[in-house]
Structures are given as structure tokens and as C-alpha cells.
């Protein structure tokens, strides 16, 4: 399905039909941002989301779920990442620093989570 109008002008059915027919893995970053109306805040998590979804292909096949390349999964991931506010990669860095009891790494990871630049 091709996008013919902005999401705000789509019905719920049109919106979900589009998300479940639009595949993401074969699109450029710019195409995804434009077609899926990805906000600047969501864009911060785009690469992380795509990498995560690509890692889920085999699991989805085993579970009999639809291919994770559908835009529905990407939009869902981005909305959740923005809602939670901290990228998963940064959360893992914090957890690792805590496990290693490394105060310097922990401080760096927390600064990254809060968006603090030196």
C-alpha cells in the first residue's frame, strides 16, 4: 500500500492497513522518516529500533508472527522508546556499569541518559 495522505487525514483502518503493508527494511532512513512521519524525538531511536527488529526476524518466524519489517512494529518501538525516554542501549550501559561497580562508566552512562554534554 502506498501512502497517499498524511496520517492525520487517514481513518484508523487506513492507518493500520498502511502500517501492516509498509515494509521498512528496504527503505532509506529518509524514506522512513518521511513516510512514517517520524518526529525528531523518535528519530533518535530509529537505528536502534531497526537493528532490534532485524534481530527479531528469526524469532518471529519461529513464533509464527508477521515479519518484523512491517512499519507497525517500528512505530510501536519508537513510541515506546520516546515514552520511556532512555534508549535501550544506554540502559544496558548503565546496568553493565552497575554490575562492574564502575563509577566512571556509570556516571558517563547516566549523563548520556539525561542528555548531558560536557
Amino acid at each position: 500500500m502506498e501512502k497517499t495522505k498524511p496520517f492525520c487525514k487517514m481513518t484508523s483502518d487506513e492507518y493500520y492497513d498502511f502500517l501492516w503493508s509498509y515494509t521498512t527494511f528496504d527503505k532509506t532512513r529518509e524514506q522512513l522518516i518521511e513516510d512514517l512521519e517520524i518526529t525528531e524525538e523518535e528519530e533518535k531511536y530509529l537505528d536502534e529500533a531497526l537493528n532490534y527488529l532485524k534481530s527479531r526476524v528469526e524469532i518471529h518466524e519461529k513464533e509464527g508472527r508477521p515479519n518484523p519489517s512491517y512499519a507497525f512494529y517500528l512505530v510501536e518501538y519508537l513510541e515506546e522508546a520516546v515514552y520511556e525516554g532512555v534508549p535501550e542501549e544506554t540502559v544496558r550501559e548503565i546496568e553493565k556499569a552497575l554490575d562492574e561497580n564502575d563509577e566512571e562508566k556509570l556516571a558517563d552512562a547516566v549523563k548520556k541518559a539525561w542528555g548531558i554534554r560536557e
Side-chain angles (χ1 to χ4, degrees):
M1 177 179 195
E2 190 174 314
K3 184 175 177 188
T4 57
K5 54 188 166 183
F7 290 152
C8 64
K9 295 187 179 188
M10 289 183 178
T11 65
S12 292
D13 286 344
E14 289 173 325
Y15 175 74
Y16 287 108
D17 284 348
F18 173 75
L19 290 182
W20 280 112
S21 64
Y22 183 89
T23 56
T24 58
F25 294 167
D26 60 343
K27 307 292 188 294
T28 65
R29 183 179 178 81
E30 291 75 25
Q31 283 176 301
L32 291 173
I33 291 168
E34 182 180 332
D35 292 348
L36 300 177
E37 300 177 18
I38 294 172
T39 66
E40 284 184 31
E41 193 173 14
E42 291 171 331
E43 191 177 339
K44 297 177 208 173
Y45 305 101
L46 184 56
D47 292 329
E48 177 183 311
L50 289 169
N51 287 335
Y52 173 76
L53 293 176
K54 286 178 182 175
S55 75
R56 303 281 305 164
V57 171
E58 190 174 312
I59 294 167
H60 276 232
E61 287 174 1
K62 286 180 185 174
E63 294 176 353
R65 296 173 62 196
N67 187 313
S69 71
Y70 289 116
F72 176 83
Y73 291 114
L74 181 63
V75 169
E76 181 180 60
Y77 187 101
L78 293 174
E79 288 174 352
E80 190 173 303
V82 168
Y83 175 76
E84 291 177 1
V86 178
E88 186 67 31
E89 179 182 322
T90 304
V91 171
R92 285 193 297 272
E93 287 176 25
I94 291 171
E95 290 171 345
K96 184 177 179 187
L98 286 169
D99 288 344
E100 296 173 354
N101 200 22
D102 187 327
E103 291 181 16
E104 189 175 321
K105 283 184 183 176
L106 179 59
D108 290 343
V110 169
K111 285 178 185 176
K112 187 176 176 182
W114 284 94
I116 299 170
R117 306 261 190 257
E118 292 184 19

